[in-house]
Amino acid sequence: MSQGEAPSWTYRPNLPDQIFPGHHPMPNFDAESLLAIPENVSAVAALSNQKDLEVANVRYSEQILIWAHRVYMNLLAFRQQRRRTGSHIQRPIHRYPPERVLPQLPQGTSFRSRNTHNHTTRPSYCSTDPYENDLGSYLDVNGNSSLLSSRALGPESDLSGPCKPSSINSKHESFLPMQMDRDPSPTAAAVCAIEILSKLGQESGWRWTDGMLLGGCLAYGLGEYTKAFKWYSKVLQCDPKLVESPDRRYSIDPVSSNVEAISNLAATLLSLDRRQEAEEYWLRSVQLRPSYFEAVEHLVGMYCEDHRGREAVQLIEFVEQSLQEAFLQQVRESASEKSASPNSSNTEIFHPTRWSEEQVHNQCPNSSPKFGSSGYHIPSSDNGRMLSLIHAKGNMLYALGDNAGAAKAFENAILIGSGQRQHGIRSLIGKVLSVFTKETRSDRSWSNNAADEPILLMPQDALETSRLVFLPYGNLPGLEDVPTNMARRAGISIVSNSLLSLAKIYQDGMSSSGATATGPRATSGVKEILALYYLSLSLQPSPSTANNVGILLASVQQPAVSKTCPRPVQGLMPGVVPGSGIHLALAYYQYGLNLDPRHAHLYTNLGSLFKDIGQLGAAIKMYEKAVQCDGNFDIALANLANAVKDQGRISDAIDYYRRAVTANPDFAEAVCGLANALNSVCNWHGRGGVTGLSSKRDRWHVDGKGMLYDGYATSRPSGWIERVVAIVDKQLFQGEGWGRGVLQSLEPERFLRDLRLLPSLDLIGIVQGWAGEPWEGARVVRLIERATKRLGWRYYRNRYVEGSSNHVFDRTRPQLPAALAVPTAPTVLPFHTFTCPLSAKQIRKISQRNGLRISCSTLRAAWLPRQIYEPPSPPGPHLNVGYVSSDFNNHPLAHLMQSVFGFHDGRRVKATCYATTASDGSVHRQKIEREAPIFHDASSWPIDRLISQIVADEIHILINLNGYTRGAKNEVFAARPAPVQMSFMGFAGTLGAEWCDYLLADKIAIPPQTLRPSRQNVDLVDQMTDGNHDDDQNQWIYGENVIFARDTFFCCDHRQSAPDAQNPELSWAEEQQRRWRMRKELFPSLRHDTVILGNFNQLYKIEPTTFRTWLRILARTPKAVLWLLRFPELGETNLRETAMSWVGAEVASRVIFTDVAPKHQHISRARICDVFLDTPECNAHTTAADVLWSGTPLLTFPRYEYKMCSRMAASILSGALPKGPEGDAARRDLIVHSDEEYEDRAVELATDLFYPSDNGEGWGRLMELRKILFENRWTSALFDTRRWVRDLEEAYELAWKRWVEGEGGDIWL
C-alpha cells in the first residue's frame, strides 16, 4: 500500500500520496463554482419575528456548511490533481500507513441548531463512503484513557485564516471576500471558508460542532495543522461530558463524546509528530465506538508503521469481538420482544450458541434487511470495510508466523464477501466443486477423500468460476450493498486476495513442512485448494494466482478427464501429456505472463517446470528472463546457476551463485550451491575448514588468499565450508521438531488399533513417551510404514501359508495423521555428504530427513490407493526380482551391471528391469534390453502406473539401483509395492528410510561397528524400540539390515565388456610392451625413468588435505609426475595456481593434465599410470575397477569408518587381489590407515620403482603388484560377474525366506 491517501479508510491500493482521495472526479475549477457562496440573505435583516429570524439563521448555517464542504472536496481534488501532474514534491513511498492522515469529515450532523452535538443524522451531502476518502492502512491495541492536552485554546482564540472579510453579524449582511476576487482558487476558497466558519463559530459561542469539525478538516487540508488542532480542541471543550482536571488536562466521558473530533484530533497530532498522543486519542475513539472504522484503520496503520503487528491484531480482534457481541445482544433483545408478544406463537427460547447465523440474522430488528449479514453489528454497506480489516489481520498473523490464525482470518474475510458466513468455507469449496461436476455432493461426500481426482481446468474455464457459483452475474452477495463501484471493486479484490492467501497456506501445509504438526492443513487436498484458486482467479485475474495454480498443477500426476480439457493441443512439448497437470501448469504460467510479462516468479517456476521435464535449454531461457526482470531475485539466480552447472558451464554457475548470495547472504540453497560449485573446480579460496572433530577430518584449511594453514592450530571453524556445516546443523535441529504435537491429536489406544496392534500398557506408554520429544513426527511415520509392511506380511501369511480368508478391512492402509505436513529436506543432500566434512550423526540425519520427506509425500499422494498393494503369490519356483533404475544407458552403473540381468539362473530368479529414462541407443542399453527376461521402458509412465506394473508383475524383491542419485524414483519404494526392498550399487551410503530393508555390502565397505545396535526391522514392537532416532549413539550410521557379501559386494562386468575382454590373453611380457607403447604415444616427452602417479576421478573428490599430500609426495619424489584429468577444465587452472602458491614452480610443473577419454580408451590407457593415488575423502568407485582391470596398483586410505564412499576402493581392491598370502601382503601395501602413512607409502613405492631401459621392463614393488593384478584379473572375485550373481541369488532366497518367516537381522553369505 502506498503512503497515505485521504482521510482514514482501510483499503486503497497504490494511491500516489497520503492526503487526497484517489478516486474523486476531477472538477473544473472555475471561479463561478468556487464563488458559489449561499445566496445573499439580506432579507433576513428585515424579519421582525424573532422565531422567523432563528429559522433563517439555521438555514443560513446549513447552506454555509454545504458550501464549505464542497470547497473542502474541491480542495482535495485540486491538490490531488497537482500531485498527479507532478507539480509537487514527491514524498518517499512507505509500505504501511501514510506520513499524514486526513481527519474525517463531519458525520452524522444535524443542522437544526448551531450548538447541537447530536450525531444521529447524516445529511445527504456529507461524504460517508469509506472508499471516497480512503487513506488508512492496516491497524492493533493496547492503551487506556486518552487525555486532552492543555495546549487546547479557550473560546476566545481566533481560528480564522489570513483572509479579512467584513464582519458577520446576526443579521448576516451580504459579503464577498475581496481575496476571492483576486485569487479564485480552491486554496483561496478554503481559506475564506475557514474564516466564515470561524465567525459563525464565535457567534454560536463555540457550540456549533458541525461547522467546527469542518473548519478543522479545511485547516488540515491546507496543511495548517496547528489551526486544525485548535478547531478540534474547541469541539471537545464544548462537549458537556469533558471534565477538566486540576492540571488543565481533560478526560473524556465515554457516554456522549464526539468520536469524530477525537479521531480527527489524533490525525492532527500525528501530523504534528506527537505520535503517543495520537495513539491515545485513536484508541479512545475505538473504545467509544468500535464501528468507527476511520479511527480503527488509522490506529492499525500507525501500529504497522511502528512494526507493532501483534498490537494491531489485538485491536482488530477487539473490534471484531465488540461488534459480534453488540449484534448478538441486539438479536437477543429482538428475540425476547417477539417471544413476549401476545401475538407470537414462537415459544423457542433463544440460545445463540445453538442457532445458525441465518437464524440469528432473521431475528435482527434493524430496518435494513441485511443489517448484520457479516455477523457484526454493522450495516451491510460496511461489509467491505470489515472484511478489509480482517484480511489485514490475516496478513499480519501470517507475517508473525501464525499460519493457523491467518488461515482463520482469511476464511472469515472470504465468507463475509461471499455471503456464506452461516455455512462455512467447506460449503463454499463444495459449491465451487459442484458446478464443475455432474452432481452436487454433500458436505461429507467429497471432503478428506485422497482418492478423488482434482478438477483440472484450463485458465479460460477457471475464469468462469464466480459466474457459475454466484448466479446469475457472478456478483459477491456480501458486497451487494457496498455503496460505490470503486468500493465494491476493492472488496472483490480483497476477497480474491484472501482466497489466494488461504489456498497458499493450505498448499504449504500440504506440500512443505509447516512449522509444527498443529499448523493449518487443507480441507482435503489438491482438489479443494484448486477450487479456492479458481474462484480467486475468476474474481480478479492475477499473475500471482496463476503462478500458484501452476505450482500445484505441476504436482498432479493423472491427466484430466476429457470434459475439462476439450480443446485440441498444439505445439506441446515432447513428453507432456495433453490435459495432464504439467500441461495445465504450463498453460497457467503462460496465462500469468500474459497478465504481467515481467513477473519474475512466473518465469522462475516455468523454468523449473521445463527443467523437470528435461528441457534444460528452455529452463535456462526462463531463468534468464526472470533475472532480467529482477536482477536481485535470489531464487532465480540460484536456479539459473544450477541449470547452467548441469550444462557444464561451471564458471557461469559460480557467478550466478555469487550474485544470489550477495542478494541474500542467508539463502541456504545459494550458499551451499556456491560451495559445491567452488569445490567441483577446486577453487578453495576462503574455504576455511571445520574444527573440533575427528583427527582424520578436514585437517588442512585454506584462508581467503588461498594459503594453507593447520586446522589443529585453531579452535574456530571458518570460511564457506563452515557456513555450509552451520546450515546443516541448523536445519537438522529444526527438523527434530517436525511433527511435534501430532500425538496430542491422537488417542494412543485407538492409534495403535488402527495400526493393527493390540494396545498394551507398555505400548501405550512408549507412544505417549514420544509426545513432545524430538523426532516425534518421524517416529509416528516410521511406525505407520512398519505397520503397512507388516500388514502385507499378515495378508500373505493368511492367504498362502495358513490358508485363512482375507477381508477388505485387512488390507486397509494405515493413514498419516492429517496434522502431519510433508517435511522439507536439508539443503545439503545425501550425495553432497560424500565430499562435505560432516559427522556420522549429521550424515545419518540428512539421509533420514530425505527418506522421511519421500515417505510423507508418497503417503499423501492422490494416486496412492486406500488399500495396501496385494503381495505376490509364492515363488513358483523362481523369485521375481525387479530392478528400478534411471541409469540403464551409457552410465557407470550400466557399464558395471550390463550382464547381470541375463546371467540370472531362471530356476532361481527371473529379472525384470524398469527403465525410468528413455533409451540413448548405447550398446549398454541395447545389451540390457536384449538380455533381461523382461524389460519395461517406463520413462514416460507416471509413478502410479510404474507401481501398478510392479504389482502386476508379482515382484517379490524390488531393487533400488539409484538411491539418492539423480533420476531416482524413490516414491516407488515408499509406496511399498513389493514385500522385500533393497538398495545397492547406485548410492554408497545409508538411505535412512523405512522403505529400504537391506543394503548389499561387505565388512570393509560397512564395518559392523557402524550399524545401529538394534536392527531386526520386522515387527511393530521392534520398530518402537529400535532407537532409530536416539542421539546417544552418535557414531552408528546404518539403520538398514545388511547383506554381507563373501568377497567384495561390488559388481564389475569388465571380464565380459572391457575393450580387451574378447582379445587373446596376453603374456606378462606382452602386456609390458603394450603398456610402454601407449605411454610413449600419450607422453612422448617424458623420460623413461619418470614415475607416473595418477588419479582419474572428477576433481570434486579432491580436497585441500589430499592435494597437499599429493604435492608433498611430488616434492619428496623428484622423478615423479602427477597425472590428472581436466574434469572439468576450470579445475586445471585452479589446481595449477594452488600448486604454485603452495609448493612453487618446480613441483607445480610436474602436475600434468589430459582430457577425459571415451570409456574404452579410458580403461585401456589407465595401464600407463604406475600407481593410482586414490582420493581418501570420496574414493574412486567405477574408476577404481577400471584401473585395477588395467593392472595398475591403487593406493587407498579409507579415511572414515562411517562413510561408505571413502571405503569403496579398499573393498574393490580387495576383490581384485587373490586370496592367500600374496594377496594379503598386497592389501597391506596398498590399503593404509592415515594420511601420513598414505604419503610415506606413496613415496616409498615411487622411489622403489626403477626402469633401467626404455622398454617398459621395471623393477620394484609396484611392478610386482602390477603383475599380481594383471595375472589374476581373469580369476579374481571382483571381475567374476557370474560368481557375483550366484551370491546375489543366494542373498535373495535368504531374504525372502526370512520375510516369510517374519525374521529380520543381517545376512552373512
Side-chain angles (χ1 to χ4, degrees):
M1 178 175 175
S2 70
Q3 73 177 17
E5 292 89 15
S8 56
W9 314 107
T10 301
Y11 179 78
R12 285 304 306 148
N14 301 324
L15 293 184
D17 211 342
Q18 80 277 15
I19 214 169
F20 303 112
H23 50 275
H24 290 299
M26 301 307 300
N28 295 318
F29 299 113
D30 56 284
E32 182 178 352
S33 64
L34 293 174
L35 298 177
I37 292 179
E39 64 274 13
N40 188 348
V41 286
S42 56
V44 172
L47 295 176
S48 57
N49 186 292
Q50 182 63 29
K51 183 175 181 180
D52 291 340
L53 182 60
E54 290 180 359
V55 171
N57 287 341
V58 170
R59 288 177 179 172
Y60 176 75
S61 298
E62 289 178 349
Q63 291 177 344
I64 288 292
L65 201 61
I66 293 171
W67 168 77
H69 174 261
R70 186 167 64 248
V71 168
Y72 176 63
M73 299 308 294
N74 286 340
L75 173 66
L76 297 183
F78 171 68
R79 295 283 296 272
Q80 181 188 29
Q81 185 181 51
R82 291 187 61 193
R83 293 173 186 273
R84 284 179 174 173
T85 58
S87 57
H88 66 287
I89 298 174
Q90 182 66 41
R91 292 184 176 89
I93 300 300
H94 299 288
R95 179 178 179 82
Y96 279 115
E99 209 174 279
R100 294 183 182 130
V101 286
L102 274 184
Q104 179 60 25
L105 288 171
Q107 291 191 24
T109 53
S110 170
F111 299 108
R112 300 194 181 279
S113 77
R114 291 183 190 172
N115 59 359
T116 181
H117 38 268
N118 179 357
H119 307 299
T120 58
T121 307
R122 289 195 169 111
S124 60
Y125 59 81
C126 188
S127 171
T128 59
D129 173 34
Y131 296 94
E132 277 194 2
N133 292 312
D134 179 277
L135 154 71
S137 210
Y138 298 133
L139 340 350
D140 187 49
V141 2
N142 81 350
N144 300 310
S145 65
S146 68
L147 302 174
L148 180 61
S149 170
S150 59
R151 282 188 269 255
L153 303 180
E156 70 280 358
S157 301
D158 180 21
L159 300 180
S160 65
C163 183
K164 299 294 182 182
S166 304
S167 62
I168 303 177
N169 56 30
S170 59
K171 297 182 179 181
H172 306 298
E173 297 173 359
S174 176
F175 68 90
L176 180 64
M178 296 300 297
Q179 184 171 339
M180 291 202 53
D181 286 331
R182 297 189 300 271
D183 182 13
S185 68
T187 302
V191 170
C192 292
I194 289 176
E195 177 199 2
I196 296 171
L197 293 173
S198 177
K199 296 301 182 182
L200 292 176
Q202 289 179 2
E203 286 189 356
S204 70
W206 299 111
R207 309 298 295 172
W208 185 36
T209 56
D210 297 329
M212 293 154 63
L213 280 170
L214 185 52
C217 292
L218 286 162
Y220 192 102
L222 290 170
E224 298 285 345
Y225 305 121
T226 301
K227 285 188 170 61
F229 176 84
K230 295 177 182 179
W231 278 103
Y232 299 134
S233 299
K234 288 287 189 183
V235 175
L236 296 183
Q237 289 175 28
C238 75
D239 192 314
K241 297 296 183 179
L242 192 71
V243 181
E244 184 177 352
S245 62
D247 61 356
R248 300 283 301 169
R249 294 175 67 87
Y250 296 87
S251 61
I252 303 171
D253 191 305
V255 176
S256 60
S257 298
N258 192 315
V259 173
E260 291 88 349
I262 298 172
S263 179
N264 289 1
L265 185 59
T268 305
L269 288 167
L270 184 63
S271 297
L272 292 170
D273 292 325
R274 294 160 64 177
R275 299 182 67 84
Q276 182 60 41
E277 294 174 87
E279 178 182 344
E280 293 175 357
Y281 278 102
W282 267 325
L283 183 58
R284 177 49 59 92
S285 296
V286 175
Q287 291 170 337
L288 291 172
R289 192 190 304 168
S291 63
Y292 191 59
F293 289 108
E294 290 78 9
V296 178
E297 291 156 358
H298 285 318
L299 185 53
V300 166
M302 191 171 73
Y303 283 152
C304 291
E305 187 180 43
D306 295 341
H307 305 289
R308 297 159 64 186
R310 182 64 64 186
E311 293 174 76
V313 169
Q314 292 171 359
L315 178 62
I316 296 173
E317 289 176 343
F318 166 77
V319 171
E320 286 186 274
Q321 182 179 358
S322 299
L323 295 179
Q324 284 176 329
E325 291 176 354
F327 178 67
L328 288 176
Q329 179 62 33
Q330 188 175 18
V331 172
R332 291 189 191 98
E333 293 172 357
S334 175
S336 299
E337 292 175 2
K338 290 184 179 179
S339 62
S341 171
N343 298 325
S344 174
S345 60
N346 181 13
T347 59
E348 180 182 4
I349 300 175
F350 175 71
H351 292 288
T353 58
R354 301 179 190 173
W355 284 17
S356 69
E357 289 193 27
E358 186 173 8
Q359 290 174 297
V360 172
H361 295 159
N362 291 338
Q363 291 293 328
C364 180
N366 194 281
S367 58
S368 171
K370 293 186 179 179
F371 187 91
S373 63
S374 62
Y376 301 99
H377 192 262
I378 58 173
S380 55
S381 59
D382 278 346
N383 284 357
R385 302 186 78 172
M386 194 69 212
L387 71 86
S388 178
L389 276 178
I390 296 171
H391 176 261
K393 169 186 165 185
N395 283 338
M396 286 181 285
L397 288 171
Y398 186 82
L400 291 167
D402 184 0
N403 287 7
K408 187 65 179 175
F410 292 134
E411 284 184 15
N412 200 3
I414 293 164
L415 296 175
I416 291 173
S418 63
Q420 297 285 310
R421 283 273 295 179
Q422 64 270 35
H423 301 300
I425 196 69
R426 292 166 61 86
S427 175
L428 179 61
I429 293 174
K431 195 172 181 180
V432 173
L433 293 174
S434 68
V435 301
F436 294 111
T437 56
K438 291 184 178 179
E439 58 181 355
T440 301
R441 302 179 182 181
S442 67
D443 192 326
R444 296 182 180 180
S445 64
W446 56 267
S447 65
N448 209 19
N449 185 359
D452 281 354
E453 294 183 351
I455 297 174
L456 305 186
L457 302 176
M458 295 292 284
Q460 56 267 37
D461 298 320
L463 292 173
E464 297 294 314
T465 305
S466 60
R467 184 183 61 80
L468 297 173
V469 172
F470 305 113
L471 297 173
Y473 305 114
N475 297 328
L476 289 174
L479 300 178
E480 288 179 351
D481 295 332
V482 173
T484 68
N485 290 334
M486 181 67 73
R488 278 192 295 275
R489 285 196 296 271
I492 291 169
S493 177
I494 293 172
V495 173
S496 177
N497 288 335
S498 296
L499 286 160
L500 170 63
S501 300
L502 180 63
K504 178 65 168 61
I505 290 174
Y506 284 165
Q507 186 174 351
D508 289 344
M510 181 191 72
S511 60
S512 65
S513 63
T516 64
T518 57
R521 297 292 174 260
T523 314
S524 178
V526 173
K527 177 179 176 181
E528 287 69 42
I529 297 171
L530 280 174
L532 294 172
Y533 278 137
Y534 291 154
L535 184 55
S536 173
L537 196 67
S538 66
L539 290 172
Q540 178 175 269
S542 160
S544 296
T545 307
N547 179 63
N548 289 6
V549 176
I551 294 171
L552 191 59
L553 287 171
S555 68
V556 175
Q557 297 286 343
Q558 88 290 345
V561 293
S562 59
K563 66 185 178 67
T564 62
C565 187
R567 297 169 178 79
V569 180
Q570 296 179 349
L572 207 56
M573 283 191 167
V576 177
V577 180
S580 66
I582 290 178
H583 171 214
L584 268 71
L586 292 170
Y588 276 91
Y589 288 144
Q590 190 56 58
Y591 170 74
L593 289 171
N594 291 338
L595 295 175
D596 183 359
R598 294 190 57 79
H599 198 288
H601 290 265
L602 279 165
Y603 282 120
T604 301
N605 289 323
L606 182 55
S608 297
L609 185 54
F610 283 149
K611 191 167 184 283
D612 289 343
I613 61 178
Q615 301 294 325
L616 185 59
I620 290 174
K621 290 181 180 178
M622 293 302 103
Y623 292 143
E624 288 173 340
K625 287 187 176 182
V627 173
Q628 290 171 6
C629 295
D630 183 354
N632 292 318
F633 186 18
D634 53 353
I635 296 175
L637 288 164
N639 286 356
L640 180 55
N642 291 333
V644 298
K645 182 182 177 184
D646 290 346
Q647 210 176 49
R649 296 158 52 191
I650 302 297
S651 181
D652 290 338
I654 290 173
D655 290 341
Y656 288 126
Y657 282 132
R658 290 191 191 279
R659 288 177 59 184
V661 173
T662 300
N664 183 359
D666 296 323
F667 186 25
E669 286 73 10
V671 172
C672 295
L674 177 60
N676 286 329
L678 292 171
N679 187 68
S680 71
V681 293
C682 302
N683 183 342
W684 299 319
H685 284 71
R687 176 189 183 274
V690 294
T691 58
L693 305 167
S694 166
S695 60
K696 298 179 180 180
R697 184 169 135 196
D698 206 34
R699 168 67 186 272
W700 292 93
H701 301 179
V702 183
D703 63 21
K705 296 181 180 179
M707 299 306 295
L708 270 175
Y709 63 96
D710 191 348
Y712 287 0
T714 179
S715 60
R716 297 184 63 184
S718 61
W720 45 258
I721 198 67
E722 186 274 333
R723 291 190 64 190
V724 171
V725 175
I727 288 170
V728 169
D729 283 334
K730 178 181 179 181
Q731 293 179 339
L732 292 178
F733 176 75
Q734 293 171 341
E736 292 181 6
W738 175 84
R740 184 173 289 167
V742 64
L743 288 172
Q744 295 177 359
S745 61
L746 302 175
E747 183 183 342
E749 184 173 347
R750 182 175 180 180
F751 173 59
L752 293 173
R753 290 187 186 279
D754 289 342
L755 300 182
R756 315 297 191 277
L757 267 177
L758 185 62
S760 66
L761 292 179
D762 290 341
L763 293 182
I764 292 175
I766 290 173
V767 173
Q768 288 177 335
W770 295 347
E773 296 297 317
W775 300 100
E776 175 185 346
R779 287 187 168 101
V780 169
V781 174
R782 275 190 174 269
L783 189 59
I784 290 169
E785 290 185 283
R786 182 66 60 83
T788 302
K789 182 168 70 173
R790 197 65 173 168
L791 190 58
W793 176 79
R794 288 179 181 172
Y795 183 91
Y796 181 91
R797 294 280 303 180
N798 289 343
R799 182 170 183 178
Y800 297 113
V801 178
E802 300 167 5
S804 303
S805 61
N806 288 276
H807 302 286
V808 173
F809 175 77
D810 294 333
R811 288 177 53 209
T812 302
R813 183 184 297 272
Q815 298 295 304
L816 283 183
L820 282 180
V822 178
T824 55
T827 304
V828 174
L829 299 177
F831 185 78
H832 298 152
T833 66
F834 290 3
T835 55
C836 191
L838 299 171
S839 67
K841 179 179 177 181
Q842 290 168 324
I843 294 172
R844 179 181 80 235
K845 287 188 173 184
I846 287 172
S847 288
Q848 288 175 339
R849 288 289 293 173
N850 278 270
L852 184 65
R853 179 187 61 81
I854 292 166
S855 294
C856 290
S857 63
T858 302
L859 297 178
R860 287 272 184 238
W863 47 261
L864 191 70
R866 284 289 189 176
Q867 293 184 325
I868 64 168
Y869 296 109
E870 186 172 340
S873 56
H878 57 258
L879 285 165
N880 295 323
V881 178
Y883 294 90
V884 181
S885 179
S886 64
D887 299 327
F888 292 141
N889 282 314
N890 184 14
H891 184 277
L893 182 118
H895 303 163
L896 297 169
M897 295 188 67
Q898 56 191 314
S899 297
V900 167
F901 315 107
F903 277 2
H904 276 302
D905 183 348
R907 296 167 298 180
R908 302 178 74 181
V909 168
K910 181 179 180 180
T912 302
C913 293
Y914 303 91
T916 60
T917 50
S919 174
D920 62 353
S922 65
V923 295
H924 315 288
R925 176 65 170 250
Q926 293 174 17
K927 180 179 175 67
I928 296 172
E929 289 184 359
R930 183 174 62 250
E931 296 183 2
I934 301 176
F935 186 95
H936 293 293
D937 183 347
S939 58
S940 62
W941 295 0
I943 292 293
D944 55 334
R945 181 180 172 187
L946 175 54
I947 292 172
S948 297
Q949 187 63 56
I950 292 169
V951 174
D953 290 339
E954 293 201 278
I955 298 299
H956 299 95
I957 300 176
L958 192 64
I959 311 301
N960 186 344
L961 294 178
N962 276 103
Y964 293 130
T965 59
R966 180 174 299 177
K969 298 292 183 182
N970 288 318
E971 304 93 324
V972 171
F973 296 87
R976 184 59 71 170
V980 179
Q981 298 180 168
M982 302 180 183
S983 176
F984 53 80
M985 291 299 294
F987 181 76
T990 179
L991 300 188
E994 185 66 28
W995 36 264
C996 180
D997 304 318
Y998 291 96
L999 298 177
L1000 178 67
D1002 55 57
K1003 62 183 180 181
I1004 296 177
I1006 296 183
Q1009 60 267 31
T1010 62
L1011 303 176
R1012 193 183 74 233
S1014 173
R1015 286 172 307 101
Q1016 288 300 309
N1017 291 333
V1018 175
D1019 59 26
L1020 277 75
V1021 176
D1022 167 52
Q1023 199 281 330
M1024 296 172 76
T1025 58
D1026 67 5
N1028 218 317
H1029 296 290
D1030 291 345
D1031 287 338
D1032 54 348
Q1033 301 289 337
N1034 288 336
Q1035 295 309 308
W1036 72 265
I1037 190 165
Y1038 300 99
E1040 301 94 336
N1041 286 332
V1042 179
I1043 298 172
F1044 287 97
R1046 290 187 179 89
D1047 298 293
T1048 178
F1049 79 97
F1050 200 77
C1051 174
C1052 185
D1053 195 52
H1054 286 358
R1055 189 186 294 183
Q1056 288 70 235
S1057 57
D1060 58 349
Q1062 307 305 319
N1063 298 335
E1065 188 174 350
L1066 300 179
S1067 66
W1068 170 238
E1070 291 172 328
E1071 168 61 19
Q1072 291 184 87
Q1073 293 172 7
R1074 178 175 64 167
R1075 173 176 176 264
W1076 205 252
R1077 287 195 304 270
M1078 296 181 67
R1079 170 177 165 140
K1080 288 297 184 180
E1081 291 173 2
L1082 188 60
F1083 300 115
S1085 61
L1086 283 183
R1087 291 169 50 92
H1088 73 273
D1089 62 345
T1090 301
V1091 178
I1092 301 177
L1093 316 173
N1095 182 281
F1096 310 138
N1097 288 332
Q1098 294 188 56
L1099 298 183
Y1100 76 84
K1101 293 187 177 183
I1102 306 173
E1103 33 72 49
T1105 299
T1106 295
F1107 194 57
R1108 171 188 176 273
T1109 300
W1110 288 352
L1111 294 178
R1112 286 173 60 85
I1113 293 169
L1114 284 179
R1116 293 173 63 186
T1117 316
K1119 65 179 182 179
V1121 297
L1122 177 62
W1123 175 20
L1124 303 175
L1125 299 183
R1126 298 184 182 98
F1127 202 3
E1129 287 188 25
L1130 184 57
E1132 176 186 0
T1133 302
N1134 292 327
L1135 285 176
R1136 286 191 184 279
E1137 292 176 354
T1138 299
M1140 284 286 293
S1141 62
W1142 287 4
V1143 293
E1146 193 281 325
V1147 175
S1149 68
R1150 290 190 276 126
V1151 181
I1152 58 178
F1153 289 83
T1154 63
D1155 292 329
V1156 178
K1159 180 67 176 180
H1160 68 281
Q1161 185 180 347
H1162 160 70
I1163 296 175
S1164 296
R1165 76 180 190 178
R1167 60 177 41 88
I1168 298 172
C1169 184
D1170 288 302
V1171 61
F1172 183 93
L1173 300 180
D1174 192 26
T1175 42
E1177 190 73 19
C1178 180
N1179 295 170
H1181 298 170
T1182 305
T1183 300
D1186 297 339
V1187 167
L1188 294 169
W1189 174 259
S1190 75
T1192 297
L1194 179 148
L1195 179 64
T1196 188
F1197 165 36
R1199 180 176 283 166
Y1200 305 99
E1201 276 194 343
Y1202 58 84
K1203 288 177 76 168
M1204 187 179 184
C1205 66
S1206 78
R1207 307 184 64 81
M1208 293 275 285
S1211 171
I1212 295 168
L1213 173 63
S1214 293
L1217 292 168
K1219 294 179 173 65
E1222 184 181 49
D1224 292 342
R1227 291 182 185 90
R1228 287 192 296 271
D1229 285 339
L1230 295 175
I1231 301 174
V1232 298
H1233 302 93
S1234 70
D1235 284 296
E1236 292 76 16
E1237 186 182 359
Y1238 179 93
E1239 178 185 327
D1240 292 342
R1241 186 64 48 79
V1243 172
E1244 177 186 337
L1245 292 171
T1247 303
D1248 179 59
L1249 179 61
F1250 176 61
Y1251 292 105
S1253 61
D1254 199 8
N1255 62 2
E1257 294 182 3
W1259 301 340
R1261 182 57 175 162
L1262 280 178
M1263 294 305 293
E1264 294 173 1
L1265 294 169
R1266 178 178 293 278
K1267 185 177 181 181
I1268 293 171
L1269 290 166
F1270 176 76
E1271 291 182 342
N1272 285 277
R1273 65 179 185 166
W1274 297 101
T1275 57
S1276 69
L1278 174 64
F1279 301 114
D1280 188 351
T1281 307
R1282 292 188 183 276
R1283 184 276 316 166
W1284 189 87
V1285 171
R1286 288 194 302 272
D1287 287 353
L1288 189 64
E1289 289 170 346
E1290 180 183 350
Y1292 289 160
E1293 291 170 345
L1294 288 172
W1296 179 255
K1297 180 181 178 181
R1298 289 196 178 198
W1299 181 81
V1300 172
E1301 297 300 324
E1303 298 175 359
D1306 302 323
I1307 296 175
W1308 291 81
L1309 297 179

